[in-house]
Amino acid sequence: MPAPQKKILFCLAGVFSFVCALGTAAAIGTQLWVKGTILCKTGALLVNASGPELEKFIGEIQYGLFHGERVRQCGLGGRPFQFSFFPDLLKIIPASIHVSIILFCTVLIIFTLVGMGFFLYNAFGSPYETLHGPVGLYLWSFISCSCGCLIMILFSSEVKIHHLSEKIANFKEKSFTFKTHSERFADSFWIILACSLVHFLNALLIRLAGFEFPFSKPKDSGTATGAADLMY
């Protein structure tokens, strides 16, 4: 591929990486990872609520990696409550998984910025033959994509397997028991998924620029030339 086209591809990959780094940093600070509704089970059972009456006992909850908000509904109107994971909820959440998610988010931002730098360096400079060249570009893209996938897997397991929403909903509750009525992953979670796909796309752009994948076996041209020499 001609050099100008390679520069354009590397510039695109660098811009994509920069946008992903900004998006990940913004996603970490928001509380838009999970949105859902919680049912005040105790209150609904006391009055034997059903149908439209049940809506008076359904509150809302949304949270991210550091903080969130819940609105409890127990038949007397909504009562909002702000909470923070650190240090309030450390005793009721799987802290090791939650901290790992934050660490992988940090690693994702760092390696995305590193990859952006090397993409731009390969676009406007003379690439090295080792980690600065094609192998390095594949490496940074692979690490970033892997971190994004790990973040989604760990967070999904924390929410679904460890029932994070119910634990948060029942935080500091003594008289009432809350149950998750519905929950869905919100914008910040899908930003991480989009960033992972972008890093995979960057790897395809590197291949499109004419670089072979790492560990691919080159064609053995020595055998062919050797056989031609024997003919003479």
Side-chain angles (χ1 to χ4, degrees):
M1 179 176 288
Q5 296 183 22
K6 288 184 179 181
K7 288 184 177 181
I8 293 174
L9 290 177
F10 285 142
C11 287
L12 283 175
V15 171
F16 290 160
S17 298
F18 179 70
V19 172
C20 284
L22 288 181
T24 304
I28 292 176
T30 66
Q31 58 183 22
L32 299 177
W33 285 70
V34 172
K35 286 185 176 181
T37 57
I38 50 176
L39 172 64
C40 181
K41 187 177 179 181
T42 305
L45 289 175
L46 285 175
V47 299
N48 196 18
S50 62
E53 297 177 351
L54 200 61
E55 296 181 0
K56 298 180 180 180
F57 298 91
I58 296 178
E60 298 178 352
I61 186 172
Q62 66 175 13
Y63 55 90
L65 299 181
F66 294 97
H67 55 92
E69 181 182 9
R70 76 181 187 196
V71 179
R72 61 197 298 270
Q73 292 269 12
C74 293
L76 299 175
R79 297 184 180 182
F81 175 74
Q82 301 282 342
F83 59 86
S84 175
F85 281 92
F86 303 100
D88 297 339
L89 302 177
L90 280 180
K91 294 182 180 180
I92 64 171
I93 65 171
S96 58
I97 297 178
H98 201 78
V99 172
S100 298
I101 294 171
I102 296 174
L103 289 177
F104 278 120
C105 285
T106 306
V107 172
L108 175 59
I109 294 174
I110 292 174
F111 277 97
T112 300
L113 292 175
V114 170
M116 179 198 70
F118 284 120
F119 274 120
L120 296 179
Y121 183 82
N122 279 269
F124 299 105
S126 299
Y128 296 152
E129 293 297 330
T130 55
L131 294 181
H132 295 69
V135 177
L137 296 179
Y138 284 121
L139 178 63
W140 311 131
S141 298
F142 173 76
I143 293 176
S144 300
C145 184
S146 300
C147 287
C149 293
L150 285 173
I151 291 168
M152 291 185 293
I153 292 172
L154 290 175
F155 189 75
S156 299
S157 66
E158 186 181 15
V159 173
K160 299 298 183 180
I161 298 177
H162 294 275
H163 306 289
L164 184 60
S165 298
E166 283 191 8
K167 291 180 178 179
I168 295 174
N170 290 284
F171 177 61
K172 289 186 177 180
E173 290 291 341
K174 297 179 181 179
S175 305
F176 295 94
T177 301
F178 291 87
K179 182 180 179 181
T180 302
H181 187 261
S182 67
E183 63 182 358
R184 63 180 178 84
F185 294 110
D187 298 341
S188 296
F189 180 85
W190 300 118
I191 287 175
I192 301 298
L193 174 61
C195 289
S196 301
L197 295 177
V198 166
H199 291 303
F200 181 76
L201 175 63
N202 284 347
L204 295 181
L205 288 178
I206 301 170
R207 181 64 186 90
L208 188 62
F211 293 131
E212 296 291 338
F213 287 111
F215 309 113
S216 60
K217 294 182 179 180
K219 295 181 180 179
D220 191 2
S221 59
T223 305
T225 55
D229 293 339
L230 290 177
M231 294 178 63
Y232 296 96

